[in-house]
Amino acid sequence: VVVLSAAVFFAVSPRLYLDGALLVLPPAQRARAREAFEAIAAALRGWFFAQLVIMTIVGVASAAAFLAIGVPGALALGVIAGVAEIVPVVGPVASGALAALIAGTVGVKTMALAVLAATVIQQIESNVLTPRIQADAVDVPGALVIFAIVVFGVLFGAPGVVLAMPLALCAMIIIQKLWVNETLGGHVALAGSEEAKAQQAAHEE
């Protein structure tokens, strides 16, 4: 509740909190920090809206599949499957396991069909939906996502697992912008930027 309440305040007046955060930095560093924060905000917006699309598709497909199979509470399980997509790797496995357990109360055949349906939907999501939809928003390496889930989960528990993806995205942009580009004098396209999207499109072609 505290996190959601804070998110609402941040969303209503982001400039107020950004300007306040910049005051703690030396004046010479504020311009660079502002650029980094704005890049993070743009990347998070793109990732979040893309994730909403994926969550909706997975939720609707799961509910329809479970309803056709005859799993009790199919609509609720569809909602859970969609919401669970916000947590990479862990979320889909957990929602699939829950669906299998509930389907098991009907019979072994129903349980097997529920597992098959959840597996097929997650394979389509992992190999088709996410690469295509998130590529237009922000591309985060899969190994980094798994590493982030483990690290932030150990440090912060369940909230760390839920927020692993956005936290990893923030850390990646900070390293790209402030360390690689600014400190080392190199140049990499920031995650979620138009330059990064263009490079990804060119690579796919």
Side-chain angles (χ1 to χ4, degrees), residues 174-198:
I174 289 174
I175 293 172
Q176 290 175 333
K177 171 67 179 175
L178 300 182
W179 179 248
V180 177
N181 290 356
E182 299 289 346
T183 304
L184 299 181
H187 178 75
V188 293
L190 301 183
S193 66
E194 294 301 323
E195 182 182 1
K197 296 175 187 177

Side-chain angles (χ1 to χ4, degrees), residues 46-47 50-51 54 129-139 165:
W47 170 81
Q51 195 65 29
I54 296 171
L129 289 178
T130 296
R132 291 186 177 275
I133 296 175
Q134 285 289 13
D136 293 331
V138 57
D139 185 29
M165 182 65 180

Side-chain angles (χ1 to χ4, degrees), residues 51-52 54-63 66 75-87 91-92 95 122:
Q51 195 65 29
L52 279 181
I54 296 171
M55 291 165 64
T56 301
I57 295 174
V58 170
V60 172
S62 299
F66 296 148
L75 296 180
L77 289 173
V79 172
I80 293 172
V83 173
E85 283 295 319
I86 200 69
V87 184
S95 65
Q122 291 307 321

Side-chain angles (χ1 to χ4, degrees), residues 10-197:
F10 285 135
V12 171
S13 304
R15 184 65 57 183
L16 173 65
Y17 297 101
L18 174 59
D19 292 340
L22 292 174
L23 290 177
V24 303
L25 298 176
Q29 303 297 326
R30 290 174 187 171
R32 295 170 58 193
R34 181 180 293 276
E35 292 176 358
F37 286 141
E38 290 175 349
I40 289 172
L44 287 175
R45 279 195 300 269
W47 170 81
F48 181 70
F49 286 119
Q51 195 65 29
L52 279 181
V53 174
I54 296 171
M55 291 165 64
T56 301
I57 295 174
V58 170
V60 172
S62 299
F66 296 148
L67 191 62
I69 294 170
V71 180
L75 296 180
L77 289 173
V79 172
I80 293 172
V83 173
E85 283 295 319
I86 200 69
V87 184
V89 183
V90 178
V93 172
S95 65
L98 176 62
L101 287 174
I102 294 178
T105 62
V106 178
V108 176
K109 181 180 179 180
T110 303
M111 181 179 183
L113 290 174
V115 171
L116 177 62
T119 302
V120 170
I121 291 172
Q122 291 307 321
Q123 287 300 312
I124 294 174
E125 178 270 327
S126 300
N127 298 304
V128 179
L129 289 178
T130 296
R132 291 186 177 275
I133 296 175
Q134 285 289 13
D136 293 331
V138 57
D139 185 29
V140 179
L144 178 60
V145 173
I146 296 175
F147 180 74
I149 291 174
V150 174
V151 172
F152 291 123
V154 171
L155 292 176
F156 307 113
V161 173
V162 174
L163 298 175
M165 182 65 180
L167 289 174
L169 185 57
C170 292
M172 187 168 70
I173 293 178
I174 289 174
I175 293 172
Q176 290 175 333
K177 171 67 179 175
L178 300 182
W179 179 248
V180 177
N181 290 356
E182 299 289 346
T183 304
L184 299 181
H187 178 75
V188 293
L190 301 183
S193 66
E194 294 301 323
E195 182 182 1
K197 296 175 187 177

